[in-house]
Amino acid sequence: MMAKKPVVAVVGATGAVGREMLDTLVRRDFPHAEVRALASSRSAGTPVECGSRSLTVQELTEDSFVGVDLAIFSAGGSTSEKFAPCAVKAGCVVVDNSSAWRMDSAVPLVVPEVNPDDLAWHKGIIANPNCSTIQMVAVLKPLHDAARIRRVVVSTYQAVSGTGQKAIAELESQVRQLFNGQETASEVYPYRIAFNCLPQIDVFLDNEYTKEEMKMVLETTKILGDDTVRVTATTVRVPVFYGHSESVNIETEKKLSPQEARAILSQAPGIRVYDNPGEKIYPMPVVAAGEDDIFVGRIREDESIANGLNMFIVADNIRKGAALNAVQIAEALLERNLLRVP
């Protein structure tokens, strides 16, 4: 453990995830000597809540990390690319929530319930995975350990909060416009999101997958540490405020019954088996919103193959999908005496 309590900075403190990070630090009683809220110059001087305290947002500059031990970034990839190296140079460990460093071979990509040992080789930056990847790999890992997963087919139904505050406001506005018989305005998304589903999250790549879909493919194998696991994904934005849902199909080398899978997952950290269809108990965004756990249900045999299971996974994308996982990484760094730049 560090001899002193760390000074913590939250970068992007005025955004939806940044605010949740501040709340999570307090809620989980993360030990700290000071918390600093950093954001762009246009947000400097505005107050943000941190538990019962109000912090004044400071402008993010290259000199912001002097005397800071830990910086949790949630301000976009370009900001992380520019300022994370400045933080490391100042002796500050960075936990980054953007996609900027996730596939860098020198940067650990960590879900603490899955691969905490990867923290040992960090060089100052640790990447927080994509929200939809986090909730899936936390469920896949104990099943992979038990029966070795060969293939994953996932379809996601992702909440607008994954895009940010402007997307939340756009969904709210469009619902009001439709109820009042008005034309809807779409600025955040290419089409109306209210009462609609968009089978596009992020840009399309040359292989006709979206960037979000390929994040799930590549990040899953890096976190599991096994590139023999084949993953294919279709990601969809849906008119839900909070909570990403995923329909996941797995094929395993060793047969796993639904009963065995439920028993394994019921012992897995951070997982709540929520599975009793006869009583209409199954994961939904309204169940997971505001919760730390990852909910898994509808676990059933895939009758089209010999060793297959279907399941439905839901988690609060702002909590476990972003802020909570980042703070859990920080907790693990502290516990393992790794909150230092090598």
Side-chain angles (χ1 to χ4, degrees), residues 112-114 138-139 142 264-272 293-294 320:
E113 296 91 340
V114 177
V139 172
I264 292 166
L265 292 171
S266 66
Q267 301 299 314
I271 304 296
R272 193 183 309 183
D293 286 343
I294 298 164
K320 182 54 182 172

Side-chain angles (χ1 to χ4, degrees), residues 299-338:
I299 301 170
R300 62 203 188 278
E301 190 166 342
D302 177 356
E303 297 180 347
S304 71
I305 55 176
N307 298 338
L309 289 174
N310 292 302
M311 63 196 73
F312 200 68
I313 304 168
V314 185
D316 187 319
N317 54 296
I318 301 298
R319 284 204 174 196
K320 182 54 182 172
L324 174 62
N325 199 75
V327 173
Q328 287 177 310
I329 290 172
E331 291 170 344
L333 287 167
L334 204 57
E335 290 166 2
R336 293 165 181 245
N337 195 29
L338 294 170

Side-chain angles (χ1 to χ4, degrees), residues 32 55 163 198 202 228 338:
H32 59 272
L55 304 179
T163 309
L198 306 180
D202 214 319
T228 66
L338 294 170

Side-chain angles (χ1 to χ4, degrees), residues 276-292:
N276 188 349
E279 298 296 325
K280 297 184 176 60
I281 295 174
Y282 34 71
M284 296 178 291
V286 293
V287 172
E291 298 287 337
D292 288 344

Side-chain angles (χ1 to χ4, degrees), residues 191-240:
Y191 298 99
R192 191 187 85 204
I193 185 62
F195 307 105
N196 194 21
C197 296
L198 306 180
Q200 176 190 354
I201 299 179
D202 214 319
V203 298
F204 285 100
L205 304 175
D206 290 342
N207 63 357
E208 298 189 0
Y209 283 74
T210 65
K211 193 173 180 181
E212 180 81 0
E213 290 160 352
M214 291 311 299
K215 285 177 187 176
M216 295 195 73
V217 172
L218 299 172
E219 290 178 23
T220 297
T221 55
K222 180 175 179 178
I223 295 166
L224 292 177
D226 188 346
D227 58 10
T228 66
V229 179
R230 310 301 295 168
V231 182
T232 187
T234 301
T235 59
V236 182
R237 189 72 68 190
V238 296
V240 169

Side-chain angles (χ1 to χ4, degrees), residues 237-249:
R237 189 72 68 190
V238 296
V240 169
F241 287 112
Y242 296 98
H244 286 355
S245 303
E246 299 173 345
S247 173
V248 178
N249 173 275

Side-chain angles (χ1 to χ4, degrees), residues 5 35 38 41 47 53 111 163 179 189 213 248 283 313-314 322 333:
K5 291 182 179 180
V35 177
L38 303 175
S41 57
R53 294 172 291 162
V111 177
T163 309
F179 277 132
Y189 297 119
E213 290 160 352
V248 178
I313 304 168
V314 185
L333 287 167

